[in-house]
Amino acid sequence: MIVISTYAQKKYSLEDCKQLTIENNRKIKNSRLEIESSKETKKNAFTNYFPSVSASGFGFTAKNPLVALDMGGMPINLLNNGMSAAITASQPIFAGGKIVNGNKLADLGTQVSQYQAKLSENEMLLNTENLYWQLVSLFEKRKTLDVIDNQVDQLLKDVELSYKAGMITNNDVLKVKLKKNEVTSNRIHLDNSIKLVKMSLCQQMAIDLASADSLDILTPDIETIDSPVTYYVDHKNALPNRSESKLLDKNIEASKLQTKITRADYLPTVAVGATYYRDNFLDNWNNNGAVFVSVSIPISGWWGGSHSIKRQKIQEQIAYNNKIDTEEQLLLQMQNVKNELDNAYKQILLAKEAIEQSNENLRLNNQYYKVGTVTLTDVLDAQTLLQQSRDKYIETYSSYRQKQFEYLQVTGR
């Protein structure tokens, strides 16, 4: 109950809903965790610059001496037990660039996770935007139903008086009552849709679903319409701002680094190190130490190494081709959303004109009905047309706002 009352105290604007989505949405949270995970991978790769240190120990007790000698009738038993311990440190000097490029690849992974997090945020914000405007549309439709309901109630009173006065038949009264039932039925469907969209919006913002009934939003002014022309930009110039485009660039970089790492697998590796050890096998501790240089040359690996490198070079070309193809698709997406935005704006203008015409049509039919020049059916049809034209306007306005935000997103803004 505390959560419900808390959210009931405030009406949320579109910006409030977006802010809650950014702060609470679970998919966005997971994308941020992926960034932290990639940072840990980067830190782990950096440790490859440091020396590797290992320690070992060995001890034994034998049932019989490992060495038994007979010195002129005098038995000598050696190595009944013993122990040793050693510590070794090795520092790579040259690894064919594998360590350097491995760290670059890990850093690249962090950048990729950041772009992917931005994509997740964009997706969730677009969902929030769409749900918000769906809710606005449903609220506006409910207002329209209220207007139609009041008109039907007034018409019902008029026809009932006319019926009592013997001016019309009971059939006209039944027609108005059927219209009243239709409005009531539409309201039930509308209320159910509102509840479902509210629950979806709560889920999007990670709010307890039990508070959906109490969640309310600020209904903006839907009469003001700004031209989409002010939002248009050159799509080719906008392309580099897209996170998808940046990810494609990073994919090419990663492919090139993979090629370098693959090549490093077939180059010599050089390391220097030192070891220190102690042993006690003859009841006496001995100490020693050494420094060493190790060189490893993968001779047999050269046979197949050239093919692995060529295969990775092919992967580079595939990554480049994917970049070109995907960028073309992104440009097509921008143009498509722009077309939809422009179409939605034109539909709004038509719907607004239709409302004016429907209002005038209803006004005239009410007048004509009172003087007996049109039937009751004409009045009811005029009310239906008004409701349809208002619903159409609300739907197109909602669609326009959604496409407006989507166009800003697909142009990297």
Side-chain angles (χ1 to χ4, degrees):
M1 293 301 296
I2 295 176
V3 174
I4 295 175
S5 61
T6 299
Y7 285 106
Q9 292 173 1
K10 177 181 178 181
K11 287 188 175 183
Y12 288 88
S13 66
L14 176 57
E15 292 307 316
D16 293 331
C17 293
K18 288 181 180 179
Q19 188 61 38
L20 284 171
T21 299
I22 292 173
E23 293 174 358
N24 301 329
N25 184 269
R26 297 175 187 87
K27 188 170 183 179
I28 294 178
K29 284 184 177 181
N30 284 343
S31 65
R32 291 173 186 151
L33 290 175
E34 290 293 343
I35 294 176
E36 295 304 314
S37 176
S38 62
K39 287 181 179 179
E40 293 302 321
T41 300
K42 178 181 176 181
K43 292 176 182 178
N44 179 63
F46 187 74
T47 62
N48 292 324
Y49 284 115
F50 304 144
S52 60
V53 181
S54 62
S56 62
F58 173 75
F60 75 94
T61 297
K63 180 179 179 182
N64 297 311
L66 297 182
V67 178
L69 301 175
D70 187 353
M71 302 294 291
M74 180 181 295
I76 299 177
N77 298 322
L78 301 174
L79 297 179
N80 289 327
N81 53 61
M83 62 181 64
S84 67
I87 184 169
T88 302
S90 177
Q91 172 66 53
I93 299 300
F94 177 75
K98 181 178 289 188
I99 296 176
V100 173
N101 291 314
N103 273 268
K104 289 181 179 179
L105 192 61
D107 181 61
L108 199 63
T110 301
Q111 297 176 44
V112 167
S113 62
Q114 290 171 341
Y115 291 135
Q116 289 174 336
K118 182 61 178 176
L119 287 177
S120 294
E121 182 178 307
N122 286 346
E123 179 187 355
M124 293 302 101
L125 287 176
L126 182 60
N127 288 344
T128 299
E129 180 96 13
N130 291 341
L131 288 170
Y132 176 86
W133 285 111
Q134 285 180 36
L135 202 52
V136 170
S137 177
L138 292 171
F139 283 164
E140 291 297 326
K141 287 182 178 181
R142 189 162 61 183
K143 291 179 182 179
T144 301
L145 272 184
D146 291 339
V147 173
I148 298 298
D149 202 12
N150 291 333
Q151 291 176 348
V152 172
D153 286 341
Q154 184 59 48
L155 185 59
L156 183 59
K157 292 177 182 179
D158 293 340
V159 296
E160 284 177 340
L161 289 174
S162 298
Y163 173 67
K164 290 178 181 179
M167 299 172 61
I168 60 174
T169 65
N170 190 44
N171 186 49
D172 285 342
V173 178
L174 291 176
K175 286 182 180 179
V176 179
K177 288 183 176 180
L178 285 172
K179 181 67 176 180
K180 177 71 175 178
N181 290 338
E182 179 186 328
V183 172
T184 302
S185 177
N186 289 340
R187 190 183 298 279
I188 292 172
H189 289 300
L190 192 60
D191 288 342
N192 287 335
S193 297
I194 288 174
K195 182 175 182 179
L196 184 60
V197 175
K198 277 186 174 184
M199 291 180 68
S200 298
L201 188 57
C202 283
Q203 195 278 331
Q204 188 73 15
M205 299 184 296
I207 295 175
D208 186 3
L209 295 183
S211 66
D213 288 336
S214 301
L215 182 70
D216 201 2
I217 63 170
L218 290 171
T219 304
D221 175 22
I222 65 169
E223 300 301 325
T224 304
I225 312 167
D226 51 344
S227 171
V229 175
T230 56
Y231 298 96
Y232 293 160
V233 294
D234 183 273
H235 294 165
K236 287 187 177 180
N237 292 336
L239 186 60
N241 297 328
R242 292 283 298 268
S243 295
E244 294 91 338
S245 179
K246 294 174 182 178
L247 279 172
L248 291 169
D249 291 333
K250 296 304 175 184
N251 187 40
I252 292 176
E253 287 184 42
S255 184
K256 290 180 178 180
L257 288 173
Q258 288 285 6
T259 300
K260 292 180 180 179
I261 292 174
T262 300
R263 184 180 288 112
D265 289 335
Y266 307 103
L267 294 176
T269 58
V270 181
V272 297
T275 183
Y276 171 78
Y277 61 90
R278 300 186 69 192
D279 63 68
N280 185 344
F281 296 114
L282 298 173
D283 296 328
N284 184 37
W285 283 101
N286 297 304
N287 303 321
N288 206 344
V291 294
F292 61 85
V293 176
S294 68
V295 179
S296 176
I297 303 175
I299 296 176
S300 62
W302 292 344
W303 302 337
S306 61
H307 300 295
S308 296
I309 294 172
K310 287 179 181 178
R311 180 184 63 82
Q312 192 54 47
K313 293 293 289 184
I314 292 172
Q315 294 301 313
E316 285 186 36
Q317 186 61 44
I318 290 174
Y320 178 77
N321 291 339
N322 287 338
K323 171 182 168 63
I324 300 301
D325 184 63
T326 305
E327 285 185 340
E328 289 177 349
Q329 293 180 32
L330 292 176
L331 289 171
L332 287 172
Q333 181 194 34
M334 292 182 200
Q335 186 61 47
N336 183 55
V337 176
K338 179 184 177 182
N339 291 346
E340 291 174 343
L341 177 63
D342 187 62
N343 179 63
Y345 178 70
K346 292 175 180 177
Q347 292 297 326
I348 287 177
L349 299 180
L350 291 173
K352 196 167 188 178
E353 184 178 349
I355 290 177
E356 295 174 358
Q357 294 170 350
S358 297
N359 277 319
E360 180 63 13
N361 179 55
L362 179 59
R363 185 186 68 82
L364 292 175
N365 274 281
N366 280 326
Q367 286 183 357
Y368 297 156
Y369 177 70
K370 290 177 181 179
V371 298
T373 56
V374 299
T375 66
L376 178 63
T377 301
D378 293 324
V379 177
L380 295 176
D381 288 343
Q383 288 179 339
T384 300
L385 285 174
L386 175 60
Q387 181 181 354
Q388 291 174 346
S389 60
R390 285 190 61 84
D391 286 350
K392 181 66 175 177
Y393 175 81
I394 293 164
E395 290 169 1
T396 54
Y397 186 90
S398 175
S399 176
Y400 177 68
R401 289 304 181 192
Q402 292 174 42
K403 288 301 173 183
Q404 195 177 73
F405 182 74
E406 186 177 357
Y407 183 70
L408 291 175
Q409 274 199 350
V410 298
T411 51
R413 290 176 286 173

